[in-house]
Amino acid sequence: NKLSYLINIDRNESNKMNENLKVSTIITTYRRADMLKRAIDSVLNQTYSNIEVIVVDDNDEKSEDRKNTEEIMTSYANNPKVKYIKHKVNMNGAAARNTGIKNSTGEIVCFLDDDDWYLETKIEKQLEFLCKNKDYKAVYCGWHRNGKIVIPKRKGNLGFELLSGDSLIYTNTIMMWKNIAEKIGGWDERFRRNQEAAFLLRYFKYGFSIGVIEECLVEFDTSDRRNQLDSEKNEEQFEFYLREHEDMIKKLAEFDKNARKKIYSKRYRGVLLYHLKSKNIINAFKVYIKMIKYIPIMFNKDIIVYICYRLINKDICNY
């Protein structure tokens, strides 16, 4: 009881220190009106109170999904902390997040997909981190997804890790100073996949580092996969992702001559496995042939390492 009392005192002092900072949470929604309320309420129920919720509706204005979303949003019409913005046509998640940033009034921005939700101390703990660690302009945290808790440990410039896929930083886990998000040009609206990675690579290009909170603060719901790309489009997006970041890959190769091979091996391993998961055997075989002609030893090794890792199937993952 005494420990709980001291923790509450510390939390109250932290809130007093940061209470003048408003945190804007941008929730993008597309075809998931039935899940939206849970996401919104998870932000409104945060232990940190100086917040606003910006819901960006990315459904076509004449669609049934728009009607369903509008119906859900009527229950928040009189809530001064909730702002509802509608796109006329579907523009994609990156464009919707940029709309949210432009319409936000907070000094801090964070992001949330409509099918996921925050644990109640997420905003408080991340804001406290940014206020205490001025060298970091952004911070991310751990998450619970597909029955596994992931506790990240890596911090700093994670450009190589994001290009290779060695580290994952999901959209919902990110908090950033708004002026920094604006300075780097926001989200790259050309990307249909790897949007958060492309966003953070822009961030790292400016020389910024990202901090980490080694704690699970976000819950993911992967039950609705309607917005998922098919395996062929997934491969196209990864090719685009690597091509558009060629300058960063070249720079990394100046310090590690095998950087390009490592990045391509791990990324195309993921592409191959996604084809297999989608039962697209022909395309999986084409990717395999392509990569063993380029980097046979490394590619086969990466596949074996991944399979062994999945067989271990740990409940808690550390990155």
Side-chain angles (χ1 to χ4, degrees), residues 121-205:
T121 59
K122 196 261 189 187
I123 290 178
E124 176 191 335
K125 289 181 177 179
Q126 288 194 307
L127 178 60
E128 182 179 6
F129 178 93
L130 288 181
C131 289
K132 289 183 176 180
N133 298 275
K134 300 296 184 180
D135 291 340
Y136 297 104
K137 306 304 179 185
V139 62
Y140 73 112
C141 63
W143 61 88
H144 179 214
R145 190 173 191 266
N146 291 332
K148 294 181 181 179
I149 294 174
V150 177
I151 305 298
K153 295 182 179 297
R154 294 175 178 173
K155 57 186 176 181
N157 184 324
L158 303 181
F160 172 80
E161 288 81 356
L162 290 181
L163 283 167
S164 66
D166 272 355
S167 285
L168 297 175
I169 301 180
Y170 286 109
T171 299
N172 302 336
T173 69
I174 302 168
M175 176 180 279
M176 183 180 291
W177 289 94
K178 178 185 175 181
N179 65 328
I180 300 300
E182 292 174 326
K183 181 175 182 178
I184 66 176
W187 293 68
D188 192 328
E189 299 178 13
R190 298 173 300 164
F191 284 85
R192 293 282 173 174
R193 188 175 172 85
N194 305 305
Q195 292 179 348
E196 59 268 81
F199 176 61
L200 288 173
L201 288 174
R202 280 185 167 186
Y203 173 82
F204 294 134
K205 278 184 179 181

Coordinates of all heavy atoms in Angstrom, one line a residue, residues 121-205:
T121 N -2.0 3.8 -19.4 CA -0.8 4.7 -19.0 C 0.1 5.0 -20.2 O 1.1 5.6 -20.1 CB 0.0 4.1 -17.9 OG1 0.5 2.8 -18.4 CG2 -0.8 3.9 -16.6
K122 N -0.3 4.6 -21.4 CA 0.5 4.8 -22.6 C 1.0 6.2 -22.8 O 2.2 6.5 -22.9 CB -0.2 4.2 -23.8 CG 0.7 3.9 -25.0 CD 0.7 5.1 -26.1 CE 1.4 4.6 -27.3 NZ 1.6 5.7 -28.3
I123 N 0.0 7.1 -22.9 CA 0.4 8.5 -23.2 C 1.2 9.1 -22.0 O 2.2 9.8 -22.3 CB -0.9 9.3 -23.5 CG1 -1.5 8.9 -24.8 CG2 -0.6 10.8 -23.4 CD1 -2.8 9.6 -25.2
E124 N 0.8 8.9 -20.8 CA 1.5 9.4 -19.7 C 2.9 9.0 -19.6 O 3.8 9.9 -19.5 CB 0.8 9.0 -18.4 CG 1.5 9.4 -17.1 CD 0.9 8.7 -15.9 OE1 -0.2 8.3 -15.9 OE2 1.7 8.6 -14.9
K125 N 3.2 7.7 -19.8 CA 4.6 7.2 -19.7 C 5.4 7.7 -20.9 O 6.6 8.1 -20.7 CB 4.6 5.7 -19.6 CG 4.0 5.2 -18.3 CD 4.0 3.7 -18.2 CE 3.6 3.3 -16.8 NZ 3.6 1.8 -16.6
Q126 N 4.9 7.8 -22.1 CA 5.7 8.2 -23.2 C 5.9 9.7 -23.1 O 7.0 10.2 -23.4 CB 5.0 7.9 -24.5 CG 5.0 6.4 -24.8 CD 4.6 6.1 -26.2 OE1 3.6 6.5 -26.7 NE2 5.5 5.3 -26.9
L127 N 4.9 10.5 -22.7 CA 5.1 11.9 -22.6 C 6.2 12.2 -21.5 O 7.0 13.1 -21.7 CB 3.8 12.6 -22.2 CG 3.9 14.1 -22.0 CD1 4.3 14.8 -23.2 CD2 2.5 14.6 -21.6
E128 N 6.1 11.5 -20.4 CA 7.1 11.7 -19.3 C 8.5 11.4 -19.9 O 9.5 12.1 -19.6 CB 6.8 10.8 -18.2 CG 7.8 11.0 -17.0 CD 7.4 10.1 -15.8 OE1 6.5 9.2 -15.9 OE2 8.1 10.2 -14.8
F129 N 8.6 10.4 -20.7 CA 9.9 10.0 -21.3 C 10.5 11.2 -22.1 O 11.6 11.6 -22.0 CB 9.8 8.8 -22.1 CG 11.1 8.4 -22.8 CD1 12.0 7.5 -22.2 CD2 11.5 8.9 -24.0 CE1 13.2 7.2 -22.8 CE2 12.7 8.6 -24.6 CZ 13.6 7.7 -24.0
L130 N 9.6 11.7 -23.0 CA 10.1 12.8 -23.9 C 10.4 14.1 -23.2 O 11.4 14.8 -23.5 CB 9.0 13.1 -24.9 CG 8.7 12.1 -26.0 CD1 7.6 12.5 -27.0 CD2 10.0 11.8 -26.8
C131 N 9.7 14.3 -22.1 CA 10.0 15.5 -21.3 C 11.3 15.4 -20.5 O 12.0 16.4 -20.3 CB 8.9 15.8 -20.3 SG 7.4 16.4 -21.1
K132 N 11.6 14.2 -20.1 CA 12.9 13.9 -19.3 C 14.1 13.7 -20.2 O 15.2 13.8 -19.7 CB 12.6 12.8 -18.3 CG 11.7 13.1 -17.2 CD 11.6 11.9 -16.2 CE 10.7 12.3 -15.0 NZ 10.6 11.1 -14.1
N133 N 13.9 13.3 -21.4 CA 15.0 12.9 -22.3 C 14.9 13.7 -23.6 O 14.4 13.3 -24.6 CB 14.9 11.4 -22.7 CG 14.9 10.5 -21.5 OD1 16.0 10.1 -21.0 ND2 13.8 10.1 -20.9
K134 N 15.5 14.9 -23.4 CA 15.4 15.9 -24.5 C 16.1 15.5 -25.8 O 15.9 16.1 -26.8 CB 15.9 17.3 -24.0 CG 15.1 17.8 -22.8 CD 13.7 18.1 -23.1 CE 13.0 18.8 -22.0 NZ 11.6 19.1 -22.3
D135 N 17.1 14.6 -25.6 CA 17.9 14.2 -26.8 C 17.0 13.4 -27.8 O 17.4 13.2 -29.0 CB 19.1 13.4 -26.4 CG 20.1 14.2 -25.7 OD1 20.1 15.5 -25.9 OD2 21.0 13.7 -25.0
Y136 N 15.9 12.8 -27.3 CA 15.0 12.1 -28.1 C 13.8 12.9 -28.5 O 13.1 13.4 -27.7 CB 14.6 10.8 -27.4 CG 15.7 9.8 -27.1 CD1 16.2 9.7 -25.8 CD2 16.3 9.0 -28.1 CE1 17.2 8.8 -25.5 CE2 17.3 8.2 -27.8 CZ 17.8 8.1 -26.5 OH 18.8 7.2 -26.2
K137 N 13.5 12.9 -29.8 CA 12.3 13.7 -30.3 C 11.1 12.7 -30.5 O 10.1 13.2 -30.9 CB 12.7 14.4 -31.6 CG 13.9 15.3 -31.4 CD 13.7 16.3 -30.3 CE 14.9 17.2 -30.1 NZ 14.8 18.1 -29.0
A138 N 11.4 11.4 -30.4 CA 10.3 10.4 -30.5 C 10.6 9.3 -29.6 O 11.8 9.1 -29.2 CB 10.2 10.0 -32.0
V139 N 9.6 8.5 -29.3 CA 9.7 7.3 -28.5 C 8.7 6.3 -28.9 O 7.7 6.6 -29.4 CB 9.5 7.7 -27.0 CG1 8.1 8.2 -26.7 CG2 9.8 6.5 -26.0
Y140 N 9.1 5.0 -28.7 CA 8.1 3.9 -29.0 C 8.1 3.0 -27.8 O 8.9 3.2 -26.8 CB 8.4 3.2 -30.3 CG 9.6 2.3 -30.3 CD1 9.5 0.9 -30.4 CD2 11.0 2.8 -30.2 CE1 10.6 0.1 -30.4 CE2 12.1 1.9 -30.2 CZ 11.9 0.6 -30.3 OH 13.0 -0.3 -30.3
C141 N 7.2 2.0 -27.8 CA 7.0 1.1 -26.7 C 6.7 -0.3 -27.1 O 6.7 -0.6 -28.3 CB 5.9 1.6 -25.8 SG 4.3 1.6 -26.7
G142 N 6.5 -1.2 -26.2 CA 6.2 -2.6 -26.5 C 4.7 -2.8 -26.8 O 3.9 -1.9 -26.6
W143 N 4.4 -4.0 -27.2 CA 3.0 -4.3 -27.6 C 2.7 -5.7 -27.4 O 3.5 -6.6 -27.2 CB 2.8 -3.9 -29.1 CG 3.7 -4.6 -30.0 CD1 3.4 -5.9 -30.6 CD2 5.0 -4.3 -30.5 NE1 4.5 -6.2 -31.4 CE2 5.4 -5.3 -31.4 CE3 5.8 -3.1 -30.3 CZ2 6.7 -5.2 -32.1 CZ3 7.1 -3.1 -30.9 CH2 7.5 -4.1 -31.8
H144 N 1.4 -6.0 -27.4 CA 0.8 -7.4 -27.3 C 0.1 -7.7 -28.6 O -0.8 -7.0 -29.0 CB -0.1 -7.5 -26.2 CG -0.7 -8.8 -26.0 ND1 -2.0 -9.0 -25.5 CD2 -0.2 -10.1 -26.2 CE1 -2.3 -10.3 -25.5 NE2 -1.2 -11.0 -25.9
R145 N 0.6 -8.7 -29.4 CA 0.0 -9.0 -30.7 C 0.1 -10.5 -30.9 O 1.1 -11.1 -30.7 CB 0.8 -8.2 -31.8 CG 0.2 -8.3 -33.2 CD 1.0 -7.3 -34.1 NE 0.4 -7.1 -35.3 CZ 0.6 -7.8 -36.4 NH1 1.5 -8.8 -36.4 NH2 0.0 -7.5 -37.6
N146 N -1.0 -11.0 -31.4 CA -1.1 -12.5 -31.8 C -0.6 -13.3 -30.6 O 0.1 -14.3 -30.8 CB -0.2 -12.8 -33.0 CG -0.8 -12.2 -34.3 OD1 -2.0 -12.0 -34.4 ND2 0.1 -11.9 -35.2
G147 N -1.1 -13.0 -29.4 CA -0.8 -13.8 -28.2 C 0.6 -13.6 -27.7 O 1.0 -14.3 -26.7
K148 N 1.4 -12.7 -28.2 CA 2.8 -12.5 -27.8 C 3.0 -11.1 -27.3 O 2.6 -10.2 -28.0 CB 3.8 -12.9 -28.9 CG 3.8 -14.4 -29.3 CD 4.8 -14.6 -30.4 CE 4.8 -16.1 -30.8 NZ 5.7 -16.4 -31.9
I149 N 3.7 -11.0 -26.2 CA 4.2 -9.7 -25.7 C 5.6 -9.4 -26.3 O 6.5 -10.2 -26.1 CB 4.2 -9.6 -24.2 CG1 2.8 -9.7 -23.7 CG2 4.8 -8.3 -23.7 CD1 2.7 -9.8 -22.1
V150 N 5.7 -8.3 -26.9 CA 7.0 -7.9 -27.5 C 7.6 -6.7 -26.7 O 6.9 -5.7 -26.6 CB 6.9 -7.5 -29.0 CG1 8.2 -7.0 -29.5 CG2 6.4 -8.7 -29.8
I151 N 8.7 -6.9 -26.1 CA 9.4 -5.8 -25.3 C 10.6 -5.3 -26.1 O 11.6 -6.0 -26.1 CB 9.8 -6.4 -23.9 CG1 8.6 -7.0 -23.2 CG2 10.4 -5.2 -23.1 CD1 7.5 -6.0 -22.9
P152 N 10.5 -4.2 -26.8 CA 11.7 -3.7 -27.5 C 12.7 -3.1 -26.6 O 12.4 -2.6 -25.5 CB 11.1 -2.6 -28.4 CG 9.9 -2.1 -27.6 CD 9.4 -3.3 -26.8
K153 N 14.0 -3.2 -27.0 CA 15.1 -2.6 -26.2 C 16.0 -1.7 -27.0 O 16.8 -0.9 -26.5 CB 15.9 -3.8 -25.7 CG 15.2 -4.7 -24.7 CD 16.1 -5.8 -24.2 CE 15.3 -6.7 -23.1 NZ 14.9 -5.9 -22.0
R154 N 15.9 -1.7 -28.4 CA 16.8 -0.9 -29.2 C 16.3 0.5 -29.3 O 15.1 0.8 -29.3 CB 16.8 -1.5 -30.6 CG 17.5 -2.9 -30.6 CD 17.4 -3.5 -32.0 NE 18.1 -4.8 -32.1 CZ 18.1 -5.6 -33.1 NH1 17.4 -5.3 -34.2 NH2 18.7 -6.8 -33.1
K155 N 17.3 1.4 -29.3 CA 17.0 2.8 -29.4 C 18.1 3.5 -30.2 O 19.1 2.8 -30.5 CB 17.0 3.4 -28.0 CG 18.2 3.2 -27.1 CD 18.0 3.7 -25.7 CE 19.3 3.4 -24.9 NZ 19.1 3.9 -23.5
G156 N 18.0 4.8 -30.5 CA 19.0 5.5 -31.3 C 18.5 5.6 -32.7 O 17.3 5.8 -33.0
N157 N 19.5 5.6 -33.7 CA 19.1 5.6 -35.1 C 19.0 4.1 -35.5 O 20.0 3.4 -35.6 CB 20.3 6.3 -35.9 CG 19.9 6.4 -37.3 OD1 19.3 5.5 -38.0 ND2 20.3 7.5 -37.9
L158 N 17.8 3.7 -35.8 CA 17.5 2.4 -36.2 C 17.2 2.2 -37.7 O 16.4 1.4 -38.1 CB 16.3 1.9 -35.4 CG 16.4 1.9 -33.8 CD1 15.2 1.4 -33.2 CD2 17.7 1.2 -33.4
G159 N 17.9 3.0 -38.5 CA 17.7 2.9 -39.9 C 18.0 1.5 -40.5 O 17.2 1.0 -41.3
F160 N 19.1 0.9 -40.2 CA 19.4 -0.4 -40.7 C 18.4 -1.4 -40.2 O 17.9 -2.3 -41.0 CB 20.8 -0.9 -40.3 CG 21.1 -2.3 -40.6 CD1 21.5 -2.6 -41.9 CD2 20.9 -3.3 -39.7 CE1 21.7 -4.0 -42.2 CE2 21.2 -4.6 -40.0 CZ 21.6 -5.0 -41.3
E161 N 18.0 -1.3 -39.0 CA 17.1 -2.3 -38.4 C 15.7 -2.2 -39.1 O 15.1 -3.3 -39.4 CB 16.9 -2.0 -36.9 CG 18.1 -2.5 -36.1 CD 19.2 -1.4 -36.0 OE1 19.1 -0.4 -36.8 OE2 20.2 -1.6 -35.3
L162 N 15.3 -1.0 -39.5 CA 14.0 -0.9 -40.1 C 14.1 -1.3 -41.6 O 13.1 -1.9 -42.2 CB 13.5 0.6 -40.0 CG 13.0 1.0 -38.6 CD1 12.5 2.4 -38.7 CD2 11.9 0.1 -38.1
L163 N 15.2 -1.0 -42.2 CA 15.4 -1.4 -43.6 C 15.4 -2.9 -43.8 O 14.9 -3.5 -44.7 CB 16.6 -0.8 -44.2 CG 16.5 0.7 -44.6 CD1 17.9 1.3 -44.9 CD2 15.6 0.9 -45.8
S164 N 16.1 -3.6 -42.8 CA 16.2 -5.0 -42.9 C 15.1 -5.8 -42.3 O 14.9 -7.0 -42.5 CB 17.5 -5.5 -42.2 OG 17.4 -5.2 -40.8
G165 N 14.3 -5.1 -41.4 CA 13.3 -5.8 -40.7 C 13.7 -6.4 -39.4 O 13.0 -7.1 -38.7
D166 N 15.0 -6.1 -39.0 CA 15.5 -6.7 -37.7 C 14.7 -6.1 -36.5 O 14.6 -6.8 -35.5 CB 17.0 -6.3 -37.6 CG 17.9 -7.4 -38.2 OD1 17.4 -8.4 -38.7 OD2 19.1 -7.2 -38.2
S167 N 14.2 -4.9 -36.7 CA 13.4 -4.3 -35.6 C 12.1 -3.9 -36.2 O 12.0 -3.4 -37.4 CB 14.1 -3.1 -35.0 OG 15.1 -3.5 -34.1
L168 N 11.0 -4.0 -35.4 CA 9.7 -3.5 -35.8 C 9.3 -2.4 -34.9 O 9.5 -2.5 -33.7 CB 8.7 -4.6 -35.7 CG 8.9 -5.9 -36.6 CD1 7.8 -6.9 -36.3 CD2 8.8 -5.5 -38.1
I169 N 8.8 -1.3 -35.5 CA 8.2 -0.2 -34.7 C 6.8 0.0 -35.4 O 6.8 0.6 -36.4 CB 9.1 1.0 -34.7 CG1 10.5 0.7 -34.1 CG2 8.4 2.1 -33.9 CD1 11.4 1.9 -34.1
Y170 N 5.8 -0.4 -34.7 CA 4.4 -0.3 -35.3 C 3.9 1.2 -35.1 O 4.3 1.9 -34.1 CB 3.5 -1.2 -34.6 CG 3.6 -2.7 -35.1 CD1 4.2 -3.7 -34.3 CD2 3.3 -3.0 -36.4 CE1 4.3 -5.0 -34.7 CE2 3.4 -4.3 -36.9 CZ 3.9 -5.3 -36.0 OH 4.1 -6.6 -36.4
T171 N 3.1 1.6 -36.0 CA 2.5 2.9 -35.9 C 1.9 3.3 -34.5 O 2.2 4.4 -34.0 CB 1.3 3.0 -36.9 OG1 1.8 2.8 -38.2 CG2 0.6 4.3 -36.9
N172 N 1.2 2.3 -33.9 CA 0.5 2.6 -32.7 C 1.4 2.8 -31.5 O 1.0 3.3 -30.5 CB -0.4 1.4 -32.3 CG -1.4 1.1 -33.4 OD1 -1.8 2.0 -34.2 ND2 -1.9 -0.1 -33.4
T173 N 2.7 2.5 -31.6 CA 3.6 2.6 -30.5 C 4.4 3.9 -30.5 O 5.1 4.2 -29.6 CB 4.6 1.4 -30.5 OG1 5.5 1.6 -31.7 CG2 4.0 0.1 -30.6
I174 N 4.2 4.7 -31.6 CA 5.0 5.9 -31.7 C 4.4 7.1 -31.1 O 3.2 7.4 -31.2 CB 5.2 6.2 -33.3 CG1 5.9 5.0 -34.0 CG2 6.1 7.5 -33.5 CD1 5.9 5.1 -35.5
M175 N 5.3 7.9 -30.4 CA 4.9 9.3 -30.0 C 6.0 10.2 -30.4 O 7.2 9.9 -30.3 CB 4.7 9.3 -28.5 CG 4.4 10.8 -27.9 SD 4.2 10.9 -26.1 CE 2.5 10.4 -26.0
M176 N 5.6 11.4 -30.9 CA 6.6 12.3 -31.5 C 6.2 13.8 -31.2 O 5.0 14.1 -31.2 CB 6.8 12.1 -33.0 CG 7.9 12.9 -33.7 SD 7.9 12.5 -35.5 CE 8.6 10.8 -35.4
W177 N 7.2 14.6 -31.1 CA 6.9 16.1 -31.0 C 6.3 16.5 -32.4 O 6.8 16.1 -33.5 CB 8.1 16.9 -30.8 CG 8.7 16.7 -29.4 CD1 9.6 15.9 -28.9 CD2 8.2 17.5 -28.2 NE1 9.8 16.0 -27.6 CE2 9.0 17.0 -27.1 CE3 7.3 18.5 -28.0 CZ2 8.8 17.5 -25.8 CZ3 7.1 19.0 -26.7 CH2 7.9 18.5 -25.6
K178 N 5.2 17.2 -32.4 CA 4.5 17.6 -33.6 C 5.4 18.4 -34.5 O 5.4 18.2 -35.8 CB 3.2 18.4 -33.3 CG 2.5 18.8 -34.5 CD 1.3 19.7 -34.2 CE 0.7 20.3 -35.5 NZ -0.5 21.2 -35.2
N179 N 6.2 19.3 -34.0 CA 7.0 20.2 -34.9 C 8.1 19.3 -35.6 O 8.5 19.7 -36.7 CB 7.7 21.3 -34.1 CG 8.7 20.8 -33.0 OD1 8.5 19.7 -32.5 ND2 9.7 21.6 -32.8
I180 N 8.5 18.2 -35.0 CA 9.4 17.3 -35.7 C 8.7 16.5 -36.8 O 9.3 16.4 -37.9 CB 10.1 16.4 -34.7 CG1 10.8 17.1 -33.6 CG2 11.0 15.4 -35.4 CD1 12.0 18.0 -34.1
A181 N 7.5 16.1 -36.5 CA 6.7 15.4 -37.5 C 6.5 16.2 -38.7 O 6.6 15.8 -39.9 CB 5.4 14.9 -37.0
E182 N 6.3 17.5 -38.5 CA 6.1 18.5 -39.6 C 7.4 18.8 -40.3 O 7.5 18.9 -41.6 CB 5.5 19.8 -39.1 CG 4.1 19.7 -38.6 CD 3.6 20.9 -37.9 OE1 4.4 21.6 -37.2 OE2 2.4 21.2 -38.0
K183 N 8.5 18.9 -39.6 CA 9.8 19.2 -40.1 C 10.2 18.1 -41.1 O 10.8 18.4 -42.2 CB 10.8 19.3 -39.0 CG 12.2 19.7 -39.5 CD 13.2 19.9 -38.4 CE 14.6 20.3 -38.9 NZ 15.5 20.6 -37.8
I184 N 10.0 16.8 -40.8 CA 10.4 15.7 -41.7 C 9.5 15.5 -42.9 O 9.8 14.7 -43.7 CB 10.6 14.4 -40.9 CG1 9.3 13.9 -40.4 CG2 11.6 14.6 -39.7 CD1 9.4 12.5 -39.7
G185 N 8.4 16.3 -42.9 CA 7.5 16.2 -44.0 C 6.3 15.2 -43.8 O 5.6 14.8 -44.8
G186 N 6.1 14.8 -42.6 CA 5.0 13.9 -42.3 C 5.2 12.5 -42.9 O 6.3 12.1 -43.1
W187 N 4.1 11.9 -43.1 CA 4.1 10.5 -43.6 C 4.1 10.5 -45.2 O 3.6 11.4 -45.8 CB 2.8 9.8 -43.2 CG 2.8 9.5 -41.7 CD1 2.6 10.5 -40.7 CD2 2.9 8.3 -41.0 NE1 2.7 9.9 -39.5 CE2 2.8 8.6 -39.7 CE3 3.0 7.0 -41.5 CZ2 2.9 7.5 -38.7 CZ3 3.1 6.0 -40.5 CH2 3.0 6.2 -39.2
D188 N 4.9 9.6 -45.7 CA 5.0 9.5 -47.2 C 3.8 8.8 -47.8 O 3.6 7.6 -47.6 CB 6.3 8.7 -47.6 CG 6.6 8.9 -49.0 OD1 5.7 9.0 -49.9 OD2 7.8 8.8 -49.4
E189 N 3.0 9.6 -48.5 CA 1.7 9.1 -48.9 C 1.7 8.2 -50.1 O 0.7 7.6 -50.5 CB 0.7 10.3 -49.2 CG 0.5 11.2 -48.0 CD -0.4 12.4 -48.3 OE1 -1.0 12.4 -49.4 OE2 -0.5 13.3 -47.4
R190 N 2.9 7.9 -50.6 CA 3.1 7.0 -51.8 C 3.1 5.6 -51.3 O 2.8 4.6 -52.1 CB 4.4 7.3 -52.5 CG 4.5 8.7 -53.1 CD 5.9 8.9 -53.6 NE 6.9 8.8 -52.6 CZ 8.2 8.6 -52.8 NH1 8.7 8.5 -54.0 NH2 9.1 8.5 -51.8
F191 N 3.3 5.3 -50.0 CA 3.4 4.0 -49.5 C 2.1 3.4 -49.1 O 1.3 4.1 -48.4 CB 4.4 3.9 -48.3 CG 5.8 4.0 -48.7 CD1 6.4 5.3 -48.9 CD2 6.6 2.9 -48.8 CE1 7.8 5.4 -49.2 CE2 7.9 3.0 -49.2 CZ 8.5 4.2 -49.4
R192 N 1.8 2.2 -49.5 CA 0.6 1.4 -49.1 C 1.0 0.5 -48.0 O 0.1 0.0 -47.2 CB 0.0 0.7 -50.3 CG -0.5 1.6 -51.4 CD -1.9 2.1 -50.9 NE -2.4 3.1 -51.9 CZ -3.6 3.7 -51.8 NH1 -4.4 3.3 -50.8 NH2 -4.0 4.6 -52.6
R193 N 2.2 0.1 -47.9 CA 2.7 -0.8 -46.9 C 4.1 -0.2 -46.4 O 4.7 0.6 -47.0 CB 3.0 -2.2 -47.5 CG 3.3 -3.3 -46.4 CD 3.4 -4.6 -47.1 NE 3.9 -5.6 -46.1 CZ 3.2 -6.3 -45.3 NH1 1.9 -6.1 -45.3 NH2 3.7 -7.2 -44.5
N194 N 4.5 -0.7 -45.2 CA 5.7 -0.1 -44.6 C 5.6 1.4 -44.3 O 6.6 2.1 -44.4 CB 6.9 -0.4 -45.5 CG 7.1 -1.9 -45.8 OD1 7.2 -2.7 -44.9 ND2 7.1 -2.2 -47.1
Q195 N 4.4 1.8 -44.1 CA 4.2 3.3 -43.9 C 5.0 3.8 -42.7 O 5.6 4.9 -42.7 CB 2.7 3.6 -43.8 CG 2.0 3.4 -45.1 CD 0.5 3.7 -45.0 OE1 0.0 3.8 -43.9 NE2 -0.2 3.7 -46.1
E196 N 4.9 3.1 -41.5 CA 5.6 3.6 -40.3 C 7.1 3.5 -40.5 O 7.8 4.4 -40.0 CB 5.1 2.8 -39.1 CG 5.3 1.3 -39.1 CD 4.2 0.5 -39.6 OE1 4.0 0.5 -40.9 OE2 3.4 0.0 -38.8
A197 N 7.6 2.5 -41.2 CA 9.0 2.4 -41.4 C 9.5 3.6 -42.3 O 10.5 4.2 -42.0 CB 9.4 1.1 -42.1
A198 N 8.8 3.9 -43.3 CA 9.1 5.0 -44.2 C 9.1 6.3 -43.5 O 9.9 7.2 -43.7 CB 8.2 5.0 -45.4
F199 N 8.1 6.5 -42.6 CA 8.0 7.7 -41.8 C 9.2 7.8 -40.9 O 9.8 8.9 -40.8 CB 6.7 7.6 -40.9 CG 6.4 8.7 -40.0 CD1 6.3 10.0 -40.4 CD2 6.3 8.4 -38.6 CE1 6.1 11.0 -39.5 CE2 6.1 9.4 -37.7 CZ 6.0 10.7 -38.1
L200 N 9.6 6.8 -40.2 CA 10.7 6.8 -39.3 C 12.0 6.9 -40.0 O 13.0 7.6 -39.5 CB 10.7 5.6 -38.4 CG 9.6 5.6 -37.3 CD1 9.5 4.3 -36.6 CD2 9.7 6.7 -36.3
L201 N 12.1 6.4 -41.2 CA 13.4 6.6 -42.0 C 13.6 8.0 -42.3 O 14.7 8.5 -42.4 CB 13.4 5.7 -43.2 CG 13.6 4.2 -42.9 CD1 13.4 3.3 -44.2 CD2 14.9 3.9 -42.3
R202 N 12.5 8.7 -42.6 CA 12.5 10.2 -42.8 C 13.1 10.8 -41.6 O 13.9 11.7 -41.7 CB 11.1 10.7 -43.2 CG 10.7 10.6 -44.6 CD 9.3 11.2 -44.8 NE 9.0 11.3 -46.2 CZ 8.0 12.0 -46.7 NH1 7.1 12.6 -45.9 NH2 7.7 12.1 -48.0
Y203 N 12.6 10.4 -40.5 CA 13.0 10.9 -39.2 C 14.5 10.7 -38.9 O 15.2 11.7 -38.5 CB 12.1 10.3 -38.1 CG 12.5 10.5 -36.6 CD1 12.1 11.7 -36.0 CD2 13.3 9.6 -35.9 CE1 12.4 11.9 -34.7 CE2 13.6 9.9 -34.6 CZ 13.1 11.0 -34.0 OH 13.4 11.3 -32.7
F204 N 15.0 9.5 -39.2 CA 16.4 9.2 -39.0 C 17.3 10.0 -40.0 O 18.4 10.3 -39.6 CB 16.6 7.7 -39.1 CG 16.0 6.9 -38.0 CD1 15.2 5.8 -38.3 CD2 16.0 7.3 -36.7 CE1 14.6 5.0 -37.3 CE2 15.4 6.6 -35.6 CZ 14.7 5.4 -35.9
K205 N 16.8 10.3 -41.1 CA 17.6 11.0 -42.1 C 18.0 12.4 -41.6 O 19.0 12.9 -42.0 CB 16.8 11.1 -43.4 CG 16.9 9.9 -44.4 CD 16.2 10.2 -45.7 CE 16.3 9.0 -46.6 NZ 15.6 9.3 -47.9

